[in-house]
C-alpha cells in the first residue's frame, strides 16, 4: 500500500508555511508525514527534504503546493522531478496545477504532457524570480535617487562642523586638528570634509 507524504518550504525563518500546510492537510495527509523546511532552496542540503527522500518508496505519493517548492531554478526543479518519478518511482501531485499529477495518464502521452507542462512551469517560475530580483534592484536604485539611505543610519554632524571646515579649508588648521575639534575620527572628517568642499563648489557654479 502506498504512503502519502507532503513537503512544504519557505525561504526564511520569518515566513509562514500556514498556507502550504492548510492545502496539504486538506488532502487528508497525516501531520507526521508532512515535512517542512525553512530555508532557501538554492541547494538541496535541507534536513527535512533529505529525511523525506529516505522515507519515500516506490508508488508513494508526494504532495506539494506549487512546483517551485522543489527548487529555485529551472534545472533543479527538473532534476528533482526526474529523480523522484524515474529513480524513486514515486508519484507527485502539484496542488496548484492539477495537470501535474503523475497518477493520471501513465501511458506515453500522459507522461509526455506532464513533462511539457513541467518544463513550461519551471521556466515561468524561474523567470518570475528573476523579475522579482530585478524589480527589487530597480526599486532600490529609485529610492537612492530620491535620497533614501540604506544601511546604518548616518550620525548627525557636530554643530561646529561647518565653521571648522571653513577654517580647515582656509589653511588655518590641519585636518587632524579639525577632526579633534569636531570630535570625529580623522578619516571620517576628511571624508565629510571632502563632501563639504564639493557641495560648496557646486553652489558657486
Amino acid at each position: 500500500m502506498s504512503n502519502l507524504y507532503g513537503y512544504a518550504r519557505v525561504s526564511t525563518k520569518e515566513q509562514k508555511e500556514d498556507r502550504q500546510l492548510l492545502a496539504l492537510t486538506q488532502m487528508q495527509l497525516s501531520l507526521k508525514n508532512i515535512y517542512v523546511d525553512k530555508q532557501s532552496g538554492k541547494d538541496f542540503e535541507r534536513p527535512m527534504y533529505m529525511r523525506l527522500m529516505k522515507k519515500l518508496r516506490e508508488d508513494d505519493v508526494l504532495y506539494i503546493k506549487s512546483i517551485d517548492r522543489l527548487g529555485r531554478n529551472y534545472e533543479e526543479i527538473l532534476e528533482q522531478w526526474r529523480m523522484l518519478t524515474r529513480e524513486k518511482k514515486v508519484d507527485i501531485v502539484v496542488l496548484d496545477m492539477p495537470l501535474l499529477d503523475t497518477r493520471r495518464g501513465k501511458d506515453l502521452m500522459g507522461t509526455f504532457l506532464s513533462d511539457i507542462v513541467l518544463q513550461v512551469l519551471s521556466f515561468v517560475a524561474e523567470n518570475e524570480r528573476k523579475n522579482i530580483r530585478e524589480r527589487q534592484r530597480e526599486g532600490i536604485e529609485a529610492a537612492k535617487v530620491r535620497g533614501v539611505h540604506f544601511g546604518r543610519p548616518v550620525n548627525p554632524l557636530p554643530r561646529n562642523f561647518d565653521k571648522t571646515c571653513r577654517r580647515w579649508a582656509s589653511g588655518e588648521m590641519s585636518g587632524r586638528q579639525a577632526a579633534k575639534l569636531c570630535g570625529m575620527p580623522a578619516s571620517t572628517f576628511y571624508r565629510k570634509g571632502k563632501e563639504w568642499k564639493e557641495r560648496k563648489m557646486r553652489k558657486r557654479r
Side-chain angles (χ1 to χ4, degrees):
M1 183 177 177
S2 61
N3 293 309
L4 308 182
Y5 294 94
Y7 179 68
R9 176 179 62 79
V10 290
S11 299
T12 66
K13 291 182 178 180
E14 290 74 26
Q15 289 181 334
K16 300 295 184 183
E17 68 277 11
D18 298 359
R19 187 172 61 89
Q20 295 179 61
L21 290 180
L22 177 61
L24 292 172
T25 53
Q26 287 176 344
M27 295 296 104
Q28 308 303 314
L29 295 178
S30 168
L31 283 175
K32 70 177 183 179
N33 283 354
I34 297 177
Y35 293 74
V36 181
D37 274 309
K38 288 193 173 188
Q39 65 187 82
S40 170
K42 65 183 179 181
D43 56 48
F44 279 86
E45 297 302 320
R46 294 175 287 173
M48 300 308 292
Y49 184 83
M50 301 306 292
R51 189 177 298 180
L52 172 62
M53 292 302 101
K54 293 178 181 178
K55 279 274 189 181
L56 289 170
R57 297 291 182 267
E58 185 173 346
D59 294 328
D60 285 346
V61 181
L62 173 62
Y63 289 85
I64 54 176
K65 180 73 169 64
S66 57
I67 191 63
D68 60 356
R69 299 305 85 193
L70 288 180
R72 290 294 297 271
N73 60 54
Y74 178 74
E75 289 80 10
E76 285 180 348
I77 292 172
L78 292 181
E79 178 187 353
Q80 293 302 307
W81 182 277
R82 287 168 179 155
M83 182 272 292
L84 288 163
T85 58
R86 297 177 187 178
E87 295 179 22
K88 286 193 166 290
K89 301 185 186 311
V90 303
D91 281 309
I92 304 177
V93 179
V94 181
L95 300 178
D96 280 355
M97 180 54 63
L99 283 173
L100 287 179
D101 183 344
T102 60
R103 298 171 302 177
R104 303 173 183 174
K106 289 202 178 270
D107 56 8
L108 183 61
M109 181 57 70
T111 302
F112 174 75
L113 289 174
S114 283
D115 282 351
I116 291 295
V117 172
L118 171 66
Q119 292 189 44
V120 170
L121 288 179
S122 301
F123 179 75
V124 169
E126 182 178 6
N127 271 331
E128 178 58 21
R129 281 187 294 274
K130 288 180 179 178
N131 290 336
I132 290 172
R133 288 195 294 268
E134 180 63 19
R135 288 194 294 269
Q136 289 173 337
R137 185 190 65 78
E138 291 174 351
I140 290 171
E141 291 299 323
K144 286 180 177 178
V145 170
R146 295 196 306 271
V148 177
H149 295 283
F150 294 88
R152 294 180 180 179
V154 178
N155 291 326
L157 294 171
R159 291 183 178 180
N160 65 338
F161 180 78
D162 189 74
K163 181 179 179 180
T164 305
C165 274
R166 292 179 189 277
R167 296 175 64 188
W168 165 65
S170 67
E172 187 178 334
M173 63 175 62
S174 69
R176 289 191 177 278
Q177 289 173 323
K180 186 175 181 180
L181 194 60
C182 289
M184 302 167 68
S187 59
T188 302
F189 177 81
Y190 282 121
R191 177 167 53 83
K192 295 293 184 181
K194 182 181 177 182
E195 293 172 359
W196 178 87
K197 283 183 176 181
E198 290 173 353
R199 286 196 301 272
K200 294 297 181 183
M201 289 179 64
R202 284 197 297 268
K203 288 180 180 179
R204 291 172 186 166
R205 290 173 186 171

